Each structure stands twice: as structure tokens, then as C-alpha cells.
PDB file of all heavy atoms in Angstrom:
ATOM      1  N   ALA A   1      17.276  -9.383  12.645  1.00  0.00           N
ATOM      2  CA  ALA A   1      18.185 -10.467  12.398  1.00  0.00           C
ATOM      3  C   ALA A   1      17.864 -11.218  11.117  1.00  0.00           C
ATOM      4  O   ALA A   1      18.752 -11.862  10.542  1.00  0.00           O
ATOM      5  CB  ALA A   1      18.191 -11.408  13.584  1.00  0.00           C
ATOM      6  N   GLN A   2      16.630 -11.164  10.699  1.00  0.00           N
ATOM      7  CA  GLN A   2      16.193 -11.898   9.464  1.00  0.00           C
ATOM      8  C   GLN A   2      16.491 -11.106   8.222  1.00  0.00           C
ATOM      9  O   GLN A   2      16.386 -11.642   7.107  1.00  0.00           O
ATOM     10  CB  GLN A   2      14.662 -12.202   9.543  1.00  0.00           C
ATOM     11  CG  GLN A   2      14.309 -13.168  10.640  1.00  0.00           C
ATOM     12  CD  GLN A   2      12.809 -13.426  10.635  1.00  0.00           C
ATOM     13  OE1 GLN A   2      12.160 -13.388  11.665  1.00  0.00           O
ATOM     14  NE2 GLN A   2      12.269 -13.661   9.454  1.00  0.00           N
ATOM     15  N   PHE A   3      16.882  -9.835   8.324  1.00  0.00           N
ATOM     16  CA  PHE A   3      17.033  -9.013   7.166  1.00  0.00           C
ATOM     17  C   PHE A   3      18.452  -8.518   7.078  1.00  0.00           C
ATOM     18  O   PHE A   3      18.987  -7.982   8.093  1.00  0.00           O
ATOM     19  CB  PHE A   3      16.071  -7.804   7.202  1.00  0.00           C
ATOM     20  CG  PHE A   3      14.583  -8.203   7.080  1.00  0.00           C
ATOM     21  CD1 PHE A   3      13.881  -8.376   8.287  1.00  0.00           C
ATOM     22  CD2 PHE A   3      14.006  -8.457   5.887  1.00  0.00           C
ATOM     23  CE1 PHE A   3      12.524  -8.668   8.205  1.00  0.00           C
ATOM     24  CE2 PHE A   3      12.667  -8.814   5.801  1.00  0.00           C
ATOM     25  CZ  PHE A   3      11.952  -8.898   6.996  1.00  0.00           C
ATOM     26  N   SER A   4      19.023  -8.619   5.917  1.00  0.00           N
ATOM     27  CA  SER A   4      20.355  -7.964   5.692  1.00  0.00           C
ATOM     28  C   SER A   4      20.018  -6.655   4.937  1.00  0.00           C
ATOM     29  O   SER A   4      19.324  -6.672   3.951  1.00  0.00           O
ATOM     30  CB  SER A   4      21.244  -8.844   4.811  1.00  0.00           C
ATOM     31  OG  SER A   4      20.589  -9.179   3.584  1.00  0.00           O
ATOM     32  N   LEU A   5      20.461  -5.565   5.515  1.00  0.00           N
ATOM     33  CA  LEU A   5      20.147  -4.274   4.900  1.00  0.00           C
ATOM     34  C   LEU A   5      21.021  -3.965   3.668  1.00  0.00           C
ATOM     35  O   LEU A   5      22.172  -4.365   3.632  1.00  0.00           O
ATOM     36  CB  LEU A   5      20.379  -3.208   5.950  1.00  0.00           C
ATOM     37  CG  LEU A   5      19.440  -3.314   7.208  1.00  0.00           C
ATOM     38  CD1 LEU A   5      19.665  -2.149   8.193  1.00  0.00           C
ATOM     39  CD2 LEU A   5      17.967  -3.353   6.787  1.00  0.00           C
ATOM     40  N   PRO A   6      20.471  -3.290   2.719  1.00  0.00           N
ATOM     41  CA  PRO A   6      19.076  -2.793   2.672  1.00  0.00           C
ATOM     42  C   PRO A   6      18.052  -3.919   2.483  1.00  0.00           C
ATOM     43  O   PRO A   6      18.370  -4.887   1.733  1.00  0.00           O
ATOM     44  CB  PRO A   6      19.060  -1.787   1.545  1.00  0.00           C
ATOM     45  CG  PRO A   6      20.124  -2.287   0.612  1.00  0.00           C
ATOM     46  CD  PRO A   6      21.207  -2.856   1.486  1.00  0.00           C
ATOM     47  N   ALA A   7      16.880  -3.797   3.045  1.00  0.00           N
ATOM     48  CA  ALA A   7      15.798  -4.748   2.886  1.00  0.00           C
ATOM     49  C   ALA A   7      14.898  -4.278   1.728  1.00  0.00           C
ATOM     50  O   ALA A   7      14.466  -3.177   1.723  1.00  0.00           O
ATOM     51  CB  ALA A   7      14.991  -4.858   4.227  1.00  0.00           C
ATOM     52  N   ARG A   8      14.719  -5.208   0.825  1.00  0.00           N
ATOM     53  CA  ARG A   8      13.790  -4.924  -0.301  1.00  0.00           C
ATOM     54  C   ARG A   8      12.578  -5.792  -0.104  1.00  0.00           C
ATOM     55  O   ARG A   8      12.605  -6.986  -0.157  1.00  0.00           O
ATOM     56  CB  ARG A   8      14.483  -5.246  -1.645  1.00  0.00           C
ATOM     57  CG  ARG A   8      15.624  -4.314  -1.934  1.00  0.00           C
ATOM     58  CD  ARG A   8      16.402  -4.800  -3.228  1.00  0.00           C
ATOM     59  NE  ARG A   8      17.272  -3.718  -3.724  1.00  0.00           N
ATOM     60  CZ  ARG A   8      18.527  -3.573  -3.235  1.00  0.00           C
ATOM     61  NH1 ARG A   8      18.986  -4.328  -2.285  1.00  0.00           N
ATOM     62  NH2 ARG A   8      19.294  -2.572  -3.720  1.00  0.00           N
ATOM     63  N   VAL A   9      11.441  -5.114   0.103  1.00  0.00           N
ATOM     64  CA  VAL A   9      10.199  -5.792   0.410  1.00  0.00           C
ATOM     65  C   VAL A   9       9.032  -5.282  -0.433  1.00  0.00           C
ATOM     66  O   VAL A   9       9.118  -4.145  -0.934  1.00  0.00           O
ATOM     67  CB  VAL A   9       9.793  -5.746   1.882  1.00  0.00           C
ATOM     68  CG1 VAL A   9      10.946  -6.238   2.782  1.00  0.00           C
ATOM     69  CG2 VAL A   9       9.492  -4.294   2.309  1.00  0.00           C
ATOM     70  N   PHE A  10       8.031  -6.080  -0.674  1.00  0.00           N
ATOM     71  CA  PHE A  10       6.848  -5.638  -1.383  1.00  0.00           C
ATOM     72  C   PHE A  10       5.590  -6.278  -0.752  1.00  0.00           C
ATOM     73  O   PHE A  10       5.680  -7.213   0.033  1.00  0.00           O
ATOM     74  CB  PHE A  10       6.897  -6.004  -2.889  1.00  0.00           C
ATOM     75  CG  PHE A  10       6.589  -7.418  -3.215  1.00  0.00           C
ATOM     76  CD1 PHE A  10       5.281  -7.790  -3.486  1.00  0.00           C
ATOM     77  CD2 PHE A  10       7.615  -8.392  -3.269  1.00  0.00           C
ATOM     78  CE1 PHE A  10       4.991  -9.116  -3.851  1.00  0.00           C
ATOM     79  CE2 PHE A  10       7.339  -9.675  -3.598  1.00  0.00           C
ATOM     80  CZ  PHE A  10       6.013 -10.084  -3.881  1.00  0.00           C
ATOM     81  N   TYR A  11       4.462  -5.734  -1.067  1.00  0.00           N
ATOM     82  CA  TYR A  11       3.215  -6.177  -0.573  1.00  0.00           C
ATOM     83  C   TYR A  11       2.070  -5.974  -1.556  1.00  0.00           C
ATOM     84  O   TYR A  11       2.159  -5.139  -2.423  1.00  0.00           O
ATOM     85  CB  TYR A  11       2.841  -5.391   0.742  1.00  0.00           C
ATOM     86  CG  TYR A  11       2.910  -3.908   0.547  1.00  0.00           C
ATOM     87  CD1 TYR A  11       1.830  -3.183  -0.032  1.00  0.00           C
ATOM     88  CD2 TYR A  11       4.047  -3.188   0.849  1.00  0.00           C
ATOM     89  CE1 TYR A  11       1.906  -1.871  -0.239  1.00  0.00           C
ATOM     90  CE2 TYR A  11       4.134  -1.834   0.631  1.00  0.00           C
ATOM     91  CZ  TYR A  11       3.036  -1.171   0.103  1.00  0.00           C
ATOM     92  OH  TYR A  11       3.137   0.180  -0.142  1.00  0.00           O
ATOM     93  N   ILE A  12       1.041  -6.804  -1.446  1.00  0.00           N
ATOM     94  CA  ILE A  12      -0.160  -6.612  -2.235  1.00  0.00           C
ATOM     95  C   ILE A  12      -1.322  -6.974  -1.320  1.00  0.00           C
ATOM     96  O   ILE A  12      -1.382  -8.155  -0.788  1.00  0.00           O
ATOM     97  CB  ILE A  12      -0.145  -7.473  -3.505  1.00  0.00           C
ATOM     98  CG1 ILE A  12       0.997  -7.107  -4.412  1.00  0.00           C
ATOM     99  CG2 ILE A  12      -1.508  -7.339  -4.218  1.00  0.00           C
ATOM    100  CD1 ILE A  12       1.187  -8.000  -5.625  1.00  0.00           C
ATOM    101  N   GLY A  13      -2.272  -6.095  -1.064  1.00  0.00           N
ATOM    102  CA  GLY A  13      -3.372  -6.446  -0.199  1.00  0.00           C
ATOM    103  C   GLY A  13      -4.272  -5.246   0.020  1.00  0.00           C
ATOM    104  O   GLY A  13      -4.037  -4.158  -0.528  1.00  0.00           O
ATOM    105  N   ASN A  14      -5.300  -5.467   0.814  1.00  0.00           N
ATOM    106  CA  ASN A  14      -6.312  -4.434   1.106  1.00  0.00           C
ATOM    107  C   ASN A  14      -5.874  -3.568   2.259  1.00  0.00           C
ATOM    108  O   ASN A  14      -5.299  -4.039   3.239  1.00  0.00           O
ATOM    109  CB  ASN A  14      -7.649  -5.023   1.389  1.00  0.00           C
ATOM    110  CG  ASN A  14      -8.317  -5.587   0.077  1.00  0.00           C
ATOM    111  OD1 ASN A  14      -7.711  -5.519  -1.031  1.00  0.00           O
ATOM    112  ND2 ASN A  14      -9.438  -6.223   0.253  1.00  0.00           N
ATOM    113  N   ALA A  15      -6.202  -2.286   2.130  1.00  0.00           N
ATOM    114  CA  ALA A  15      -5.972  -1.299   3.214  1.00  0.00           C
ATOM    115  C   ALA A  15      -7.326  -0.690   3.511  1.00  0.00           C
ATOM    116  O   ALA A  15      -8.222  -0.740   2.617  1.00  0.00           O
ATOM    117  CB  ALA A  15      -4.907  -0.335   2.858  1.00  0.00           C
ATOM    118  N   TYR A  16      -7.476   0.017   4.619  1.00  0.00           N
ATOM    119  CA  TYR A  16      -8.807   0.496   5.086  1.00  0.00           C
ATOM    120  C   TYR A  16      -8.651   1.875   5.650  1.00  0.00           C
ATOM    121  O   TYR A  16      -7.689   2.217   6.364  1.00  0.00           O
ATOM    122  CB  TYR A  16      -9.334  -0.455   6.110  1.00  0.00           C
ATOM    123  CG  TYR A  16      -9.335  -1.924   5.688  1.00  0.00           C
ATOM    124  CD1 TYR A  16      -8.193  -2.734   5.947  1.00  0.00           C
ATOM    125  CD2 TYR A  16     -10.409  -2.460   5.006  1.00  0.00           C
ATOM    126  CE1 TYR A  16      -8.144  -4.071   5.525  1.00  0.00           C
ATOM    127  CE2 TYR A  16     -10.358  -3.799   4.611  1.00  0.00           C
ATOM    128  CZ  TYR A  16      -9.264  -4.574   4.859  1.00  0.00           C
ATOM    129  OH  TYR A  16      -9.253  -5.858   4.429  1.00  0.00           O
ATOM    130  N   GLY A  17      -9.662   2.678   5.376  1.00  0.00           N
ATOM    131  CA  GLY A  17      -9.713   4.048   5.870  1.00  0.00           C
ATOM    132  C   GLY A  17     -10.609   4.844   5.010  1.00  0.00           C
ATOM    133  O   GLY A  17     -11.294   4.304   4.061  1.00  0.00           O
ATOM    134  N   LEU A  18     -10.721   6.137   5.207  1.00  0.00           N
ATOM    135  CA  LEU A  18     -11.584   6.977   4.370  1.00  0.00           C
ATOM    136  C   LEU A  18     -10.707   7.755   3.387  1.00  0.00           C
ATOM    137  O   LEU A  18      -9.933   8.567   3.729  1.00  0.00           O
ATOM    138  CB  LEU A  18     -12.323   7.941   5.279  1.00  0.00           C
ATOM    139  CG  LEU A  18     -13.349   8.877   4.572  1.00  0.00           C
ATOM    140  CD1 LEU A  18     -14.351   8.070   3.837  1.00  0.00           C
ATOM    141  CD2 LEU A  18     -13.998   9.851   5.543  1.00  0.00           C
ATOM    142  N   GLU A  19     -10.821   7.370   2.149  1.00  0.00           N
ATOM    143  CA  GLU A  19     -10.093   7.932   1.060  1.00  0.00           C
ATOM    144  C   GLU A  19     -11.037   8.575   0.058  1.00  0.00           C
ATOM    145  O   GLU A  19     -12.067   8.002  -0.286  1.00  0.00           O
ATOM    146  CB  GLU A  19      -9.216   6.896   0.376  1.00  0.00           C
ATOM    147  CG  GLU A  19      -8.389   7.443  -0.733  1.00  0.00           C
ATOM    148  CD  GLU A  19      -7.670   6.301  -1.530  1.00  0.00           C
ATOM    149  OE1 GLU A  19      -8.319   5.661  -2.309  1.00  0.00           O
ATOM    150  OE2 GLU A  19      -6.442   6.141  -1.332  1.00  0.00           O
ATOM    151  N   HIS A  20     -10.743   9.813  -0.363  1.00  0.00           N
ATOM    152  CA  HIS A  20     -11.600  10.499  -1.328  1.00  0.00           C
ATOM    153  C   HIS A  20     -10.960  10.427  -2.683  1.00  0.00           C
ATOM    154  O   HIS A  20      -9.754  10.729  -2.831  1.00  0.00           O
ATOM    155  CB  HIS A  20     -11.783  11.922  -0.945  1.00  0.00           C
ATOM    156  CG  HIS A  20     -12.526  12.076   0.331  1.00  0.00           C
ATOM    157  ND1 HIS A  20     -13.894  12.094   0.464  1.00  0.00           N
ATOM    158  CD2 HIS A  20     -12.076  12.248   1.636  1.00  0.00           C
ATOM    159  CE1 HIS A  20     -14.282  12.232   1.719  1.00  0.00           C
ATOM    160  NE2 HIS A  20     -13.197  12.320   2.458  1.00  0.00           N
ATOM    161  N   ASN A  21     -11.649   9.951  -3.667  1.00  0.00           N
ATOM    162  CA  ASN A  21     -11.115   9.851  -5.020  1.00  0.00           C
ATOM    163  C   ASN A  21     -12.207  10.180  -6.027  1.00  0.00           C
ATOM    164  O   ASN A  21     -13.213   9.511  -6.127  1.00  0.00           O
ATOM    165  CB  ASN A  21     -10.659   8.414  -5.221  1.00  0.00           C
ATOM    166  CG  ASN A  21     -10.076   8.173  -6.663  1.00  0.00           C
ATOM    167  OD1 ASN A  21      -9.576   9.101  -7.223  1.00  0.00           O
ATOM    168  ND2 ASN A  21     -10.161   6.983  -7.170  1.00  0.00           N
ATOM    169  N   ALA A  22     -11.919  11.259  -6.792  1.00  0.00           N
ATOM    170  CA  ALA A  22     -12.844  11.719  -7.853  1.00  0.00           C
ATOM    171  C   ALA A  22     -14.244  11.868  -7.396  1.00  0.00           C
ATOM    172  O   ALA A  22     -15.233  11.485  -8.042  1.00  0.00           O
ATOM    173  CB  ALA A  22     -12.749  10.726  -9.003  1.00  0.00           C
ATOM    174  N   GLY A  23     -14.406  12.415  -6.168  1.00  0.00           N
ATOM    175  CA  GLY A  23     -15.769  12.674  -5.612  1.00  0.00           C
ATOM    176  C   GLY A  23     -16.377  11.440  -4.941  1.00  0.00           C
ATOM    177  O   GLY A  23     -17.467  11.587  -4.399  1.00  0.00           O
ATOM    178  N   HIS A  24     -15.685  10.298  -4.933  1.00  0.00           N
ATOM    179  CA  HIS A  24     -16.234   9.118  -4.306  1.00  0.00           C
ATOM    180  C   HIS A  24     -15.408   8.833  -3.009  1.00  0.00           C
ATOM    181  O   HIS A  24     -14.245   9.107  -2.918  1.00  0.00           O
ATOM    182  CB  HIS A  24     -16.135   7.954  -5.251  1.00  0.00           C
ATOM    183  CG  HIS A  24     -16.900   8.143  -6.515  1.00  0.00           C
ATOM    184  ND1 HIS A  24     -18.237   8.129  -6.588  1.00  0.00           N
ATOM    185  CD2 HIS A  24     -16.431   8.381  -7.803  1.00  0.00           C
ATOM    186  CE1 HIS A  24     -18.645   8.327  -7.809  1.00  0.00           C
ATOM    187  NE2 HIS A  24     -17.543   8.482  -8.565  1.00  0.00           N
ATOM    188  N   GLN A  25     -16.176   8.258  -2.026  1.00  0.00           N
ATOM    189  CA  GLN A  25     -15.501   7.891  -0.807  1.00  0.00           C
ATOM    190  C   GLN A  25     -15.185   6.342  -0.830  1.00  0.00           C
ATOM    191  O   GLN A  25     -16.039   5.552  -1.294  1.00  0.00           O
ATOM    192  CB  GLN A  25     -16.413   8.116   0.400  1.00  0.00           C
ATOM    193  CG  GLN A  25     -16.576   9.612   0.679  1.00  0.00           C
ATOM    194  CD  GLN A  25     -17.299   9.837   2.012  1.00  0.00           C
ATOM    195  OE1 GLN A  25     -17.811   8.924   2.650  1.00  0.00           O
ATOM    196  NE2 GLN A  25     -17.408  11.089   2.451  1.00  0.00           N
TER     197      GLN A  25
END
């Protein structure tokens, strides 16, 4: 009810998990 479609949203923040990038975890 708070959103009229299409909803355009963005975010900036930290996420967590195991990600491999250029040999680093």
C-alpha cells in the first residue's frame, strides 16, 4: 500500500557471507 508500482528503491550498506574475490575471502 505504501508503494505505487513500479517501485524504484536503492540501498547502501553492509552484507555478509563468504565471497571469494581475487584469491581473498
